[in-house]
Coordinates of all heavy atoms in Angstrom, one line a residue:
A7 N 107.5 91.4 75.5 CA 106.0 91.4 75.7 C 105.8 92.2 77.0 O 106.5 92.0 78.0 CB 105.5 89.9 75.9
A8 N 104.8 93.0 77.0 CA 104.4 93.8 78.1 C 102.9 93.6 78.4 O 102.1 93.9 77.6 CB 104.7 95.3 77.8
I9 N 102.6 93.1 79.6 CA 101.3 92.7 79.9 C 100.7 93.6 81.0 O 101.2 93.6 82.1 CB 101.2 91.2 80.4 CG1 101.9 90.3 79.4 CG2 99.7 90.8 80.6 CD1 102.2 88.9 80.0
V10 N 99.7 94.5 80.6 CA 99.1 95.3 81.6 C 98.0 94.5 82.3 O 97.2 93.9 81.7 CB 98.5 96.5 80.9 CG1 97.6 97.3 81.9 CG2 99.6 97.4 80.3
S11 N 98.1 94.4 83.6 CA 97.2 93.6 84.4 C 96.5 94.2 85.6 O 97.1 95.2 86.2 CB 97.9 92.3 84.9 OG 97.0 91.3 85.4
Y12 N 95.3 93.8 85.9 CA 94.6 94.4 87.0 C 93.7 93.3 87.6 O 92.8 92.7 86.9 CB 93.8 95.6 86.6 CG 92.9 96.2 87.6 CD1 93.4 96.8 88.7 CD2 91.5 96.2 87.5 CE1 92.6 97.3 89.7 CE2 90.6 96.7 88.5 CZ 91.3 97.3 89.6 OH 90.4 97.8 90.6
R14 N 94.0 90.2 88.4 CA 94.0 88.9 87.7 C 95.3 88.1 88.1 O 95.9 87.4 87.3 CB 93.9 89.0 86.3 CG 92.4 89.3 85.9 CD 92.2 89.4 84.3 NE 90.8 89.6 84.0 CZ 90.4 90.1 82.9 NH1 91.2 90.4 82.0 NH2 89.0 90.2 82.7
G16 N 95.6 85.7 90.0 CA 95.3 84.3 90.0 C 95.0 83.6 88.7 O 95.0 82.3 88.6
S17 N 94.8 84.4 87.7 CA 94.4 83.8 86.4 C 95.4 84.1 85.2 O 95.3 83.4 84.2 CB 93.0 84.2 85.9 OG 93.0 85.7 85.8
I18 N 96.2 85.1 85.4 CA 97.1 85.4 84.2 C 98.1 84.4 83.8 O 98.4 84.2 82.6 CB 97.9 86.7 84.6 CG1 98.6 87.3 83.4 CG2 98.8 86.5 85.8 CD1 99.2 88.6 83.6
S19 N 98.5 83.5 84.8 CA 99.4 82.4 84.4 C 98.7 81.3 83.5 O 99.4 80.6 82.8 CB 100.0 81.8 85.7 OG 99.0 81.2 86.5
R20 N 97.4 81.3 83.6 CA 96.6 80.3 82.8 C 96.3 80.9 81.4 O 95.8 80.1 80.5 CB 95.3 79.9 83.5 CG 95.5 79.3 84.8 CD 94.2 78.6 85.3 NE 93.1 79.5 85.4 CZ 92.8 80.3 86.5 NH1 93.6 80.2 87.5 NH2 91.8 81.1 86.4
H21 N 96.5 82.2 81.2 CA 96.1 82.8 80.0 C 97.3 83.4 79.3 O 98.0 82.7 78.6 CB 95.0 83.8 80.3 CG 93.7 83.2 80.9 ND1 93.0 83.8 81.9 CD2 93.1 82.0 80.6 CE1 92.0 83.0 82.2 NE2 92.0 81.9 81.5
T22 N 97.5 84.7 79.4 CA 98.5 85.4 78.7 C 99.9 84.8 78.9 O 100.7 84.7 78.0 CB 98.5 86.9 78.9 OG1 97.2 87.4 78.8 CG2 99.4 87.6 78.0
L23 N 100.3 84.6 80.2 CA 101.6 84.1 80.4 C 101.8 82.7 79.8 O 102.9 82.3 79.4 CB 101.9 84.1 81.9 CG 102.2 85.5 82.5 CD1 102.3 85.3 84.1 CD2 103.4 86.0 82.0
R24 N 100.8 81.9 79.8 CA 100.9 80.6 79.1 C 101.2 80.8 77.6 O 102.0 80.1 77.0 CB 99.7 79.8 79.3 CG 99.7 78.4 78.6 CD 98.4 77.6 78.9 NE 98.4 77.2 80.3 CZ 97.3 76.5 80.9 NH1 96.3 76.3 80.1 NH2 97.4 76.2 82.1
M25 N 100.5 81.8 77.1 CA 100.7 82.1 75.6 C 102.1 82.6 75.4 O 102.8 82.1 74.4 CB 99.7 83.1 75.1 CG 99.8 83.5 73.7 SD 98.6 84.8 73.2 CE 99.7 86.2 73.8
T26 N 102.6 83.5 76.2 CA 103.9 84.1 75.9 C 105.0 83.0 76.1 O 106.0 83.0 75.4 CB 104.2 85.3 76.8 OG1 104.0 85.0 78.2 CG2 103.3 86.5 76.4
D27 N 104.8 82.1 77.1 CA 105.7 81.0 77.3 C 105.8 80.1 76.0 O 106.8 79.7 75.6 CB 105.3 80.1 78.5 CG 105.6 80.9 79.8 OD1 106.4 81.9 79.8 OD2 105.1 80.4 80.9
R28 N 104.6 79.8 75.5 CA 104.5 78.9 74.3 C 105.2 79.5 73.2 O 105.9 78.9 72.4 CB 103.0 78.6 74.0 CG 102.9 77.6 72.9 CD 101.4 77.4 72.5 NE 100.9 78.5 71.8 CZ 101.1 78.6 70.4 NH1 101.8 77.8 69.7 NH2 100.5 79.6 69.8
L29 N 105.1 80.8 73.1 CA 105.6 81.6 71.9 C 107.1 82.0 72.1 O 107.7 82.5 71.2 CB 104.8 82.8 71.5 CG 103.3 82.5 71.1 CD1 102.6 83.8 71.0 CD2 103.3 81.7 69.8
G30 N 107.6 81.7 73.3 CA 109.0 82.1 73.5 C 109.3 83.6 73.7 O 110.4 84.0 73.3
L31 N 108.3 84.3 74.3 CA 108.5 85.7 74.5 C 108.9 86.0 75.9 O 108.4 85.5 76.8 CB 107.1 86.4 74.2 CG 106.7 86.5 72.7 CD1 105.2 87.0 72.7 CD2 107.6 87.4 71.9
K32 N 109.8 86.9 76.0 CA 110.2 87.5 77.3 C 109.0 88.4 77.8 O 108.7 89.4 77.0 CB 111.5 88.2 77.2 CG 112.0 88.9 78.5 CD 113.4 89.5 78.3 CE 113.4 90.6 77.3 NZ 114.7 91.2 77.2
A33 N 108.5 88.2 78.9 CA 107.3 89.0 79.3 C 107.5 89.7 80.7 O 108.1 89.2 81.6 CB 106.1 88.0 79.5
T34 N 107.0 90.9 80.7 CA 106.9 91.7 81.9 C 105.5 92.0 82.2 O 104.7 92.4 81.3 CB 107.7 93.0 81.7 OG1 109.1 92.8 81.5 CG2 107.6 93.9 83.0
V35 N 105.1 91.7 83.5 CA 103.7 92.0 83.9 C 103.7 93.4 84.6 O 104.5 93.6 85.5 CB 103.1 90.9 84.8 CG1 101.7 91.2 85.2 CG2 103.2 89.5 84.1
I36 N 102.9 94.3 84.2 CA 102.9 95.6 84.7 C 101.6 95.8 85.5 O 100.5 95.7 85.0 CB 102.9 96.7 83.6 CG1 104.2 96.4 82.7 CG2 103.0 98.1 84.1 CD1 104.2 97.1 81.4
L49 N 103.1 84.9 91.3 CA 103.9 84.6 90.1 C 105.4 84.5 90.4 O 106.2 85.3 89.9 CB 103.6 85.6 89.0 CG 102.1 85.8 88.6 CD1 102.0 87.0 87.7 CD2 101.6 84.5 87.9
R52 N 108.6 85.4 87.9 CA 108.2 86.3 86.8 C 108.7 87.7 87.0 O 108.9 88.1 88.1 CB 106.6 86.3 86.7 CG 106.0 84.9 86.4 CD 106.3 84.5 85.0 NE 105.5 83.2 84.6 CZ 105.6 82.7 83.4 NH1 106.2 83.3 82.4 NH2 104.8 81.6 83.2
L79 N 105.6 94.3 72.5 CA 104.3 93.7 72.1 C 103.4 93.9 73.4 O 103.6 93.3 74.4 CB 104.5 92.3 71.7 CG 103.2 91.6 71.1 CD1 102.8 92.3 69.8 CD2 103.5 90.1 70.9
A80 N 102.4 94.8 73.3 CA 101.5 95.1 74.4 C 100.4 94.1 74.4 O 99.7 93.9 73.3 CB 101.0 96.5 74.3
L81 N 100.1 93.5 75.5 CA 99.1 92.5 75.6 C 98.2 92.7 76.8 O 98.7 93.2 77.8 CB 99.7 91.1 75.7 CG 100.7 90.6 74.7 CD1 101.4 89.4 75.0 CD2 100.0 90.4 73.3
N82 N 96.9 92.3 76.7 CA 96.0 92.2 77.8 C 96.3 91.0 78.6 O 96.9 90.1 78.1 CB 94.6 92.3 77.4 CG 94.1 93.7 77.2 OD1 94.8 94.7 77.2 ND2 92.7 93.9 77.0
D83 N 95.8 90.9 79.8 CA 96.1 89.9 80.7 C 95.1 88.6 80.6 O 95.2 87.7 81.4 CB 96.1 90.3 82.2 CG 94.8 91.0 82.6 OD1 93.8 91.0 81.8 OD2 94.7 91.5 83.8
D84 N 94.2 88.7 79.6 CA 93.3 87.6 79.4 C 93.4 86.9 78.1 O 92.5 86.3 77.6 CB 91.8 88.1 79.6 CG 91.5 89.2 78.7 OD1 92.4 89.7 78.0 OD2 90.3 89.6 78.7
M85 N 94.6 87.0 77.4 CA 94.8 86.4 76.1 C 94.9 84.9 76.2 O 95.5 84.4 77.2 CB 96.1 87.0 75.5 CG 96.1 88.5 75.4 SD 94.9 89.2 74.3 CE 95.5 88.6 72.7
K86 N 94.4 84.2 75.2 CA 94.5 82.7 75.1 C 95.5 82.3 74.1 O 96.4 81.5 74.4 CB 93.1 82.1 74.9 CG 92.2 82.3 76.0 CD 90.8 81.6 75.8 CE 90.9 80.1 75.7 NZ 89.6 79.5 75.5
D87 N 95.4 82.9 72.9 CA 96.4 82.5 71.8 C 96.3 83.4 70.6 O 95.3 84.2 70.5 CB 96.2 81.0 71.4 CG 97.5 80.3 71.3 OD1 98.5 80.9 71.0 OD2 97.5 79.1 71.6
V88 N 97.3 83.3 69.8 CA 97.3 84.0 68.5 C 97.0 83.0 67.4 O 97.6 81.9 67.4 CB 98.6 84.6 68.2 CG1 98.6 85.4 66.9 CG2 99.1 85.6 69.3
G151 N 93.3 97.4 72.0 CA 94.4 97.4 73.0 C 94.8 96.0 73.5 O 95.8 95.9 74.2
C152 N 94.1 95.0 73.1 CA 94.4 93.6 73.6 C 95.8 93.2 73.1 O 96.5 92.4 73.7 CB 93.4 92.6 73.1 SG 91.7 93.1 73.5
F153 N 96.2 93.7 71.9 CA 97.4 93.2 71.2 C 97.8 94.3 70.2 O 97.2 94.5 69.2 CB 97.0 91.9 70.4 CG 98.2 91.2 69.8 CD1 98.6 89.9 70.2 CD2 98.8 91.8 68.7 CE1 99.7 89.3 69.5 CE2 99.9 91.2 68.0 CZ 100.3 89.9 68.5
Y199 N 93.4 86.8 67.5 CA 93.6 86.3 68.9 C 92.3 85.8 69.5 O 91.2 86.2 69.1 CB 94.2 87.4 69.7 CG 93.5 88.7 69.7 CD1 92.4 88.9 70.6 CD2 93.9 89.7 68.9 CE1 91.7 90.1 70.5 CE2 93.2 90.9 68.9 CZ 92.1 91.1 69.7 OH 91.4 92.3 69.7
T200 N 92.5 85.0 70.5 CA 91.3 84.6 71.3 C 91.6 85.0 72.7 O 92.7 85.1 73.1 CB 91.2 83.0 71.2 OG1 92.4 82.4 71.6 CG2 90.8 82.6 69.8
Q201 N 90.5 85.2 73.5 CA 90.6 85.7 74.8 C 89.8 84.8 75.8 O 88.8 84.2 75.4 CB 90.1 87.1 74.9 CG 91.0 88.1 74.3 CD 90.4 89.5 74.4 OE1 89.6 89.9 73.6 NE2 90.9 90.2 75.4
S202 N 90.1 84.9 77.1 CA 89.3 84.2 78.1 C 88.0 85.0 78.3 O 87.9 86.2 78.0 CB 90.1 84.2 79.4 OG 89.3 83.9 80.5

Side-chain angles (χ1 to χ4, degrees):
I9 308 167
V10 172
S11 190
Y12 176 65
R14 285 181 175 159
S17 63
I18 188 173
S19 61
R20 300 193 303 272
H21 299 139
T22 307
L23 285 173
R24 178 178 291 177
M25 181 187 81
T26 55
D27 287 348
R28 186 184 75 80
L29 296 174
L31 288 168
K32 178 175 61 176
T34 297
V35 181
I36 305 169
L49 303 170
R52 297 287 188 177
L79 190 62
L81 302 169
N82 273 14
D83 57 4
D84 58 351
M85 306 293 290
K86 293 179 69 177
D87 226 326
V88 183
C152 310
F153 183 116
Y199 50 83
T200 55
Q201 290 179 275
S202 165

